[in-house]
Amino acid sequence: MDLRRLTSFLAVAEEQHFGRAATRLFLSPSALTGHIQQLEREIGAALFHRAPVRLTAAGERFAQHARGLLDAVNAAMDDVAGTTGTAEDTLRIGVMAHGSAELTPAITGAFARARPHVRLVFEQLTFTEHLTALLAHRVDVAFVRPAVDDERIAVDPLTREQRIVVVPARSDYASAGELRLADVLDLPFVTVPPHTPRPFTDYLYFMEARGGEAPHRSPDHALTAHDVLTSVAAGRGAGSALSSFARYYPWPGTVCVPVVDAPWDHSVLATRAHDPNPSVRLFRALARTLAADFPEQELRSGTRPSSSSSRPGTPSPPAR
């Protein structure tokens, strides 16, 4: 049973309000509602009356068990922590997809050499988690994209890279060599969950170039780069990324094509603002130092169109 769903359930039970519980947990209302619905399906019973919000009889009984389960988990974690040292002896590192390219292992390696006594724990982040994992204290630092403007989060830009799209190898786009925004805005991009943070959806769908128009969506949903590539290889959609994506995900049936007139974007290291943890401060300092010498990343395409035309004449969208 997912402990996050238990936490969401108890927050709603205590607040008797979905909105206040979502704010308390730094979740979107839709994400919290999804946790409750998944838990109710798993248990096979309604846990709340919705108007007004209050526990059902099943919810009252389950609340007692849920509190006991979370208490037991917390006690176990405290017991183990007591044998391994303080919280500052562990640094939890969140990584979305391939993080900040070659800088991700370079920074973690430099930190490990500087602080060999600190245990490093890696957690793979989905597209929805690059803020919530930090704010919920599940990770201490996070390699994510794009940069976010949130007073609760400190951001250190690490790489600056060209934007690309990932398309099926059999589509006309794949042989174009390079594309422009006008070519790609009608692609059926993979669909991400509704509670995905707005900065990431704006980045994924090139929203700044759309003039307020909603993107076309693939029938497939994605939480990770693996999900995107599976959909693209099947000819059911397209994805977008930074140029380093092509080096890390040479996926059969897919091609990465640069979007030459799209603004370049950053991968970043995100941390909680004003985090006093000395390990976090050192990790940020090492990241900034190594990033200063990291070159800007442009996708080198082996197939380029002639100089008279930088876009395909009549591109066919990927099969849906």
Side-chain angles (χ1 to χ4, degrees):
M1 183 170 290
D2 192 326
L3 294 179
R4 289 177 296 179
R5 296 175 192 170
L6 291 182
T7 302
S8 294
F9 164 72
L10 289 175
V12 176
E14 292 164 7
E15 296 289 345
Q16 295 186 325
H17 192 279
F18 277 71
R20 289 195 298 269
T23 300
R24 168 174 154 182
L25 297 176
F26 300 105
L27 291 173
S28 69
S30 60
L32 181 131
T33 299
H35 285 177
I36 300 302
Q37 290 173 341
Q38 290 164 348
L39 192 58
E40 289 177 326
R41 285 195 295 268
E42 188 173 354
I43 293 171
L47 298 174
F48 292 100
H49 299 291
R50 264 36 179 202
V53 176
R54 67 186 191 281
L55 290 167
T56 62
E60 292 279 3
R61 296 189 64 177
F62 186 70
Q64 300 174 21
H65 297 294
R67 291 189 181 96
L69 285 169
L70 287 179
D71 287 344
V73 169
N74 290 332
M77 293 178 67
D78 290 343
D79 181 60
V80 172
T83 67
T84 58
T86 67
E88 291 181 356
D89 290 332
T90 298
L91 187 72
R92 299 161 300 172
I93 303 170
V95 184
M96 176 189 287
H98 64 291
S100 293
E102 290 82 0
L103 278 175
T104 304
I107 295 165
T108 56
F111 180 88
R113 291 188 293 273
R115 293 290 187 271
H117 65 283
V118 176
R119 184 171 67 102
L120 301 181
V121 177
F122 290 92
E123 179 167 343
Q124 194 67 35
L125 302 180
T126 71
F127 297 151
T128 69
E129 293 179 310
H130 59 321
L131 290 186
T132 55
L134 281 167
L135 295 174
H137 290 257
R138 289 194 292 110
V139 300
D140 303 303
V141 299
F143 291 96
V144 298
R145 66 190 60 81
V148 295
D149 184 12
D150 189 310
E151 62 182 9
R152 301 168 296 176
I153 300 294
V155 171
D156 296 302
L158 298 183
T159 69
R160 181 175 180 270
E161 304 182 45
Q162 187 179 41
R163 294 300 308 280
I164 66 171
V165 289
V166 190
V167 297
R170 63 177 179 269
S171 75
D172 288 350
Y173 293 97
S175 61
E178 61 184 34
L179 295 167
R180 295 182 177 275
L181 283 167
D183 301 321
V184 303
L185 294 184
D186 287 335
L187 285 171
F189 286 94
V190 291
T191 301
V192 293
H195 59 281
T196 303
R198 178 69 179 272
F200 186 80
T201 57
D202 287 352
Y203 154 86
L204 178 66
Y205 298 134
F206 299 101
M207 290 304 295
E208 187 176 347
R210 291 186 178 278
E213 293 186 7
H216 296 283
R217 304 292 181 91
S218 158
D220 298 329
H221 289 70
L223 275 174
T224 67
H226 184 284
D227 298 335
V228 173
L229 289 162
T230 300
S231 177
V232 175
R236 292 169 57 84
S240 75
L242 300 178
S243 63
S244 58
F245 187 93
R247 298 198 301 277
Y248 282 81
Y249 296 102
W251 198 273
T254 71
V255 173
C256 295
V257 186
V259 184
V260 294
D261 61 341
W264 287 35
D265 217 323
H266 294 88
S267 72
V268 303
L269 180 71
T271 57
R272 289 181 291 276
H274 314 298
D275 192 328
N277 186 335
S279 290
V280 171
R281 294 201 300 269
L282 175 61
F283 199 92
R284 289 185 66 190
L286 290 170
R288 289 193 294 264
T289 299
L290 291 171
D293 296 325
F294 194 72
E296 294 185 344
Q297 299 292 303
E298 182 176 13
L299 180 65
R300 301 297 181 182
S301 175
T303 305
R304 297 281 184 176
S306 66
S307 58
S308 62
S309 174
S310 61
R311 68 180 72 182
T314 309
S316 302
R320 304 191 200 188

